[in-house]
Amino acid sequence: MSLSEQIENPFLPEPARIVRQYDLIKDHRFFQIRFIDMNRAMSFDYVPGQFAMLSIPGVGEAPFSISSTPSRPGILEMGIRRTGNLTRALFKKKDNDIVYLRGPYGNGFKIEPMVERDIIIVAGGLGVIPLRSILYFVLDNRDQFDELYFLYGARNPNEFLFKNEFFQIKAREDIDCLYSVDKDTTGDWTENTGVVTSLFQKLPKIDPQTTTAVVCGPPIMYKFVIKELLKLKIPKNMIQMTLERRMKCGVGKCGHCALDHIYTCIDGPIFTYWDTLHFRELI
Amino acid sequence: MRILKMKPDFLKEFLMGLEGFGALYGPKRQSGILKYAPIESYDELVLDGENTLLPLKRLFHPMRFDMFRFDSRGFEADYSIFEKRVIIGVHPCEIHGILKLDEVFLVHPPDPYYAGLRKNSAIIGFSCLPAENALCRSTGTDIVAEGFDLFFVDLTDFYLVWVGSSFGYDMILEKEDFFDENVTHEDIQIYIEWREKRNRMFKKSFNFRDMPDIIELSYKSEIWDYFGKKCLSCGQCTMVCPTCNCYNVTDVLDLATETSGRRERMWDSCMFADYSLVAGGHNFRHARADRLKLWYTHKLKAFAHKYGSPACVGCGRCVETCPVDINVLTVSEALTSCEVPEE
Ligand SMILES: Cc1cc2nc3c(=O)[nH]c(=O)nc-3n(C[C@H](O)[C@H](O)[C@H](O)COP(=O)(O)OP(=O)(O)OC[C@H]3O[C@@H](n4cnc5c(N)ncnc54)[C@H](O)[C@@H]3O)c2cc1C
Ligand code: SF4
Ligand code: SF4
Ligand code: FES
């Protein structure tokens, strides 16, 4: 046996095929990816809120949230914004092209504190990409959870991600979807207009003792959303949020994601609001 | 643990005889700089108390190496850095430094490169007398109880040799005649005197024990801004510190191809401006103060994931290296007295 076969290498990126891809909005693309190795494709078990490292040889590697749900195994979905070298190269890939993945990494959402409770999912902008995983996970295991509220705000209708899917879900009886745009630039927006926090007025009466909240969005959004959730008296440790930091290794070795005395790639990227009060600098 | 005695006359033959266990490495002077490097002859070895410029970590967490080769068929791990080595002349603080790095690189999932280099290397520790800036007495890393295969304490007329592993014992067996099992009361007395003499030689110290609380309390202190303003973001402190583990990864294409190349890993520093802990919005000086705070949180308060103990092993290199006198002494002094150093 050669050395490479004997040694387990957590940094080894494994080949995966782009099964399908399409633009969500300008510079944001949706990817469905499947490991070439069928066993790997089926054994890649993850929790909503985890991420994977995606490599393009010669260009580099970067972390991306897994947007699909483990309740639908086999194919991994990601929503990716074009910002730099790696994402630019990724956007040049076509269906059937090969990329490389390793993971899953990070702690993921704690599901247990959500079971048999009401759930409020609050997403702002790109933050909906990781939250889509927990959204579908809850929908696929619907009987394990009580009320489900999904609040999503985008800047304008042209920046509203997963529009078709999310409007389809809206028709379901077992979820309360509240959508908003900061500004209606198109004139045919049928939902709420205003910042995402304005959706809180539309919520029915919430019992804070039986409610868990899950939040992801741009840094500035957290402050305002948390304020609303605290107004509803949801306990601080029942507010889970995902926080991004620069990451290189994903497994607690490279130091890039260090904050205070934690590594966000293993201790995060999901933290409760309570955690963030203890680990300063988180938000 | 077994402790044996050896006469200094045997040292050369014993050490050079270890070649059978792996390539010999040790502190040696090259172009005026003391560094861990392959040893060809005994005379090259520098076994006094002097620190190498770069710590032992460079033999386990190399400054730059290839992690993978890649081509159109994918990635293949490159383990060509592995080599059987016997590293001679390692001081206690260096061994403590490696034990700290173990806590990062060997916890699940272990880093296969670090683990491979570790597994293939024997460590022959050597006692030292404190250098000018040695702080290891303050940090409690002036002696070691583990992390070596053999450890030599130089008591002038003889060496006391601690046997720290079965591999170390195999080395002893090679030259059994050199060693004496009979450690007498008198020898113990000599050792105690040496310890006392050594303890008295430390010129500098700092309040390491109380630093975790003080750092916690000083989170908002303007002292960080003072140091942040001075810091040049040169990253030298991170290069010389035995317990800095940060690295970066980049892909390098082979010349004249678009498909094959290597994925390299190289030291990085959280002190570099582009390390990008704080994205956008913050001004540079503030960011530098935050980076320093993070660094000293690691060194003096707690280290990485779950590990309660601070990472500073008191080698004194930051004291010698920082061009603007930012180091564990000046920082802990400023935080303790709540006063910035005099210009
Ligand atoms: C846990 C985690 C999950 C992520 N999930 C997603 C996702 O689902 N979809 C997605 O599009 N992106 C996601 N990201 C961000 C993504 O990793 C970066 O955008 C990616 O590294 C960009 O690579 P690049 O080479 O194209 O850009 P680069 O050339 O590396 O950078 C381009 C620009 O983006 C900035 N940038 C790079 N990384 C980050 C970061 N982590 N945070 C803020 N700014 C950054 C740089 O400063 C630079 O201005 C996630 C990041 C983390 C840590
Ligand atoms: S902080 Fe300074 S004294 Fe402490 S281990 Fe690092 S370089 Fe040595
Ligand atoms: S060596 Fe000194 S100046 Fe250079 S980065 Fe470190 S603290 Fe800043
Ligand atoms: S990304 Fe490397 S330590 Fe977290």
Side-chain angles (χ1 to χ4, degrees):
Chain A
M1 220 168 39
S2 76
L3 259 189
S4 351
E5 288 166 83
Q6 283 169 46
I7 299 176
E8 195 141 330
N9 193 322
F11 306 112
L12 180 71
E14 294 173 80
R17 192 177 297 286
I18 298 177
V19 180
R20 199 158 77 103
Q21 50 158 337
Y22 56 82
D23 280 335
L24 291 167
I25 57 170
K26 184 174 180 300
D27 286 335
H28 292 67
R29 192 170 292 176
F30 180 69
F31 291 87
Q32 287 187 322
I33 303 172
R34 185 189 188 104
F35 281 104
I36 303 265
D37 180 350
M38 282 295 273
N39 290 327
R40 186 68 182 125
M42 295 315 288
S43 70
F44 189 93
D45 197 15
Y46 59 96
V47 182
Q50 284 194 294
F51 62 95
M53 300 294 292
L54 185 147
S55 273
I56 297 180
V59 186
E61 191 176 43
F64 296 98
S65 311
I66 304 172
S67 190
S68 46
T69 162
S71 45
R72 303 175 195 176
I75 286 191
L76 293 171
E77 295 173 340
M78 291 178 175
I80 295 180
R81 182 168 68 110
R82 178 159 59 186
T83 71
N85 284 342
L86 180 79
T87 45
R88 223 178 294 127
L90 181 64
F91 273 50
K92 293 197 184 118
K93 297 274 176 207
K94 299 183 190 61
D95 287 357
N96 272 325
D97 279 356
I98 305 292
V99 293
Y100 294 83
L101 291 178
R102 60 185 178 93
Y105 297 127
N107 55 355
F109 290 107
K110 286 188 209 73
I111 305 289
E112 205 191 312
M114 296 187 213
V115 171
E116 284 172 18
R117 293 169 65 93
D118 301 336
I119 301 167
I120 306 180
I121 298 177
V122 189
L126 271 188
V128 81
I129 293 170
L131 293 187
R132 183 174 170 268
S133 178
I134 185 81
L135 173 70
Y136 285 145
F137 183 84
V138 172
L139 288 175
D140 286 352
N141 297 280
R142 194 64 193 85
D143 55 337
Q144 291 185 37
F145 306 91
D146 291 343
E147 295 304 317
L148 174 60
Y149 306 99
F150 176 42
L151 282 56
Y152 172 35
R155 248 182 286 175
N156 61 57
N158 291 328
E159 301 210 355
F160 197 91
L161 300 173
F162 304 106
K163 204 181 281 169
N164 291 345
E165 284 178 26
F166 288 166
F167 276 87
Q168 263 170 31
I169 295 174
K170 195 173 186 306
R172 286 174 67 147
E173 299 273 291
D174 56 357
I175 177 171
D176 215 342
C177 296
L178 298 168
Y179 300 146
S180 189
V181 293
D182 295 356
K183 216 169 140 190
D184 178 13
T185 45
T186 57
D188 52 18
W189 178 251
T190 53
E191 309 299 303
N192 185 65
T193 307
V195 290
V196 70
T197 42
S198 64
L199 293 172
F200 278 85
Q201 295 152 16
K202 312 210 160 196
L203 283 175
K205 190 153 172 48
I206 299 290
D207 178 358
Q209 288 317 312
T210 60
T211 304
T212 299
V214 177
V215 188
C216 186
I220 159 128
M221 190 195 88
Y222 285 105
K223 209 168 102 193
F224 297 105
V225 169
I226 299 269
K227 214 158 119 195
E228 293 296 328
L229 293 169
L230 294 180
K231 254 196 257 166
L232 293 176
K233 300 220 158 33
I234 296 175
K236 295 187 179 73
N237 64 350
M238 285 293 162
I239 303 174
Q240 298 190 56
M241 41 215 262
T242 127
L243 299 171
E244 264 185 35
R245 276 295 178 281
R246 268 242 147 138
M247 292 178 188
K248 274 280 162 190
C249 72
V251 289
K253 310 293 179 207
C254 77
H256 275 254
C257 68
L259 267 184
D260 207 2
H261 59 278
I262 54 167
Y263 278 162
T264 51
C265 67
I266 37 188
D267 299 300
I270 316 292
F271 295 94
T272 67
Y273 179 57
W274 178 252
D275 293 334
T276 68
L277 296 177
H278 285 248
F279 308 144
R280 288 165 296 207
E281 280 185 43
L282 271 180
I283 45 173
Chain B
M1 200 176 298
R2 275 186 99 129
I3 304 173
L4 306 166
K5 262 165 66 179
M6 192 188 87
K7 286 243 169 337
D9 296 347
F10 295 134
L11 186 68
K12 176 176 175 179
E13 196 182 333
F14 177 73
L15 292 180
M16 296 318 280
L18 295 177
E19 223 152 14
F21 293 90
L24 302 184
Y25 278 70
K28 112 182 193 188
R29 214 171 295 281
Q30 281 179 329
S31 330
I33 292 168
L34 194 64
K35 52 165 89 164
Y36 287 99
I39 296 294
E40 270 120 50
S41 79
Y42 178 76
D43 300 332
E44 292 177 336
L45 263 179
V46 179
L47 294 175
D48 63 13
E50 195 184 339
N51 269 339
T52 51
L53 178 67
L54 292 176
L56 182 65
K57 77 171 173 189
R58 70 175 284 250
L59 292 187
F60 296 101
H61 173 38
M63 237 169 170
R64 168 187 296 270
F65 69 93
D66 296 346
M67 298 175 81
F68 297 101
R69 295 266 338 145
F70 59 77
D71 57 25
S72 53
R73 288 162 305 171
F75 289 85
E76 193 182 352
D78 182 343
Y79 296 123
S80 57
I81 50 170
F82 294 174
E83 173 194 22
K84 279 242 172 279
R85 302 178 298 192
V86 176
I87 306 165
I88 301 167
V90 183
H91 298 162
C93 65
E94 291 277 44
I95 295 174
H96 280 282
I98 290 300
L99 293 173
K100 293 276 176 207
L101 288 184
D102 285 355
E103 291 174 3
V104 175
F105 288 121
L106 297 183
V107 290
H108 186 78
D111 167 21
Y113 303 97
Y114 181 90
L117 289 169
R118 215 47 190 97
K119 210 172 74 191
N120 284 294
S121 305
I123 290 182
I124 313 295
F126 262 78
S127 66
C128 52
L129 292 175
E132 180 69 22
N133 293 312
L135 301 168
C136 54
R137 191 143 163 78
S138 303
T139 51
T141 49
D142 52 333
I143 49 167
V144 266
E146 55 172 341
F148 52 83
D149 295 279
L150 294 175
F151 192 94
F152 284 72
V153 176
D154 183 355
L155 299 174
T156 315
D157 292 334
F158 62 96
Y159 286 100
L160 278 181
V161 184
W162 269 254
V163 184
S165 72
S166 64
F167 195 67
Y169 194 61
D170 291 345
M171 294 174 171
I172 299 285
L173 288 180
E174 283 280 299
K175 295 272 168 29
E176 230 172 342
D177 304 348
F178 291 0
F179 296 90
D180 180 356
E181 300 241 11
N182 187 20
V183 178
T184 64
H185 287 306
E186 202 187 327
D187 297 336
I188 296 171
Q189 214 50 50
I190 293 171
Y191 174 69
I192 292 170
E193 277 162 29
W194 173 83
R195 283 279 300 262
E196 284 169 354
K197 179 183 115 196
R198 185 171 181 258
N199 289 348
R200 284 192 303 270
M201 284 175 75
F202 286 91
K203 293 187 189 150
K204 293 180 180 163
S205 67
F206 72 110
N207 183 359
F208 181 70
R209 251 191 85 221
D210 293 339
M211 283 319 288
D213 288 351
I214 294 172
I215 295 235
E216 183 79 42
L217 287 166
S218 312
Y219 187 78
K220 293 200 170 122
S221 170
E222 67 288 351
I223 280 164
W224 298 115
D225 290 321
Y226 164 80
F227 285 113
K229 200 167 72 188
K230 280 182 36 159
C231 173
L232 310 171
S233 298
C234 67
Q236 286 185 75
C237 48
T238 39
M239 305 296 145
V240 301
C241 181
T243 60
C244 272
N245 62 294
C246 292
Y247 66 79
N248 203 347
V249 176
T250 45
D251 285 4
V252 182
L253 286 169
D254 291 338
L255 285 174
T257 83
E258 288 284 296
T259 48
S260 69
R262 54 189 203 273
R263 178 159 286 178
E264 283 189 351
R265 168 159 146 184
M266 72 280 296
W267 287 2
D268 199 355
S269 169
C270 60
M271 294 295 183
F272 291 155
D274 66 357
Y275 192 79
S276 180
L277 259 171
V278 256
H282 291 259
N283 76 43
F284 186 53
R285 179 178 137 194
H286 230 85
R288 269 190 309 205
D290 285 346
R291 288 199 289 267
L292 277 167
K293 188 154 56 183
L294 182 68
W295 206 83
Y296 283 98
T297 301
H298 278 178
K299 300 305 160 191
L300 301 176
K301 185 180 148 211
F303 182 47
H305 190 57
K306 288 195 275 239
Y307 298 99
S309 72
C312 176
V313 293
C315 72
R317 285 186 178 88
C318 55
V319 182
E320 273 144 41
T321 306
C322 176
V324 293
D325 281 337
I326 303 172
N327 56 55
V328 285
L329 282 182
T330 53
V331 169
S332 61
E333 172 62 27
L335 291 174
T336 312
S337 66
C338 293
E339 270 172 40
V340 295
E342 281 177 41
E343 293 295 326

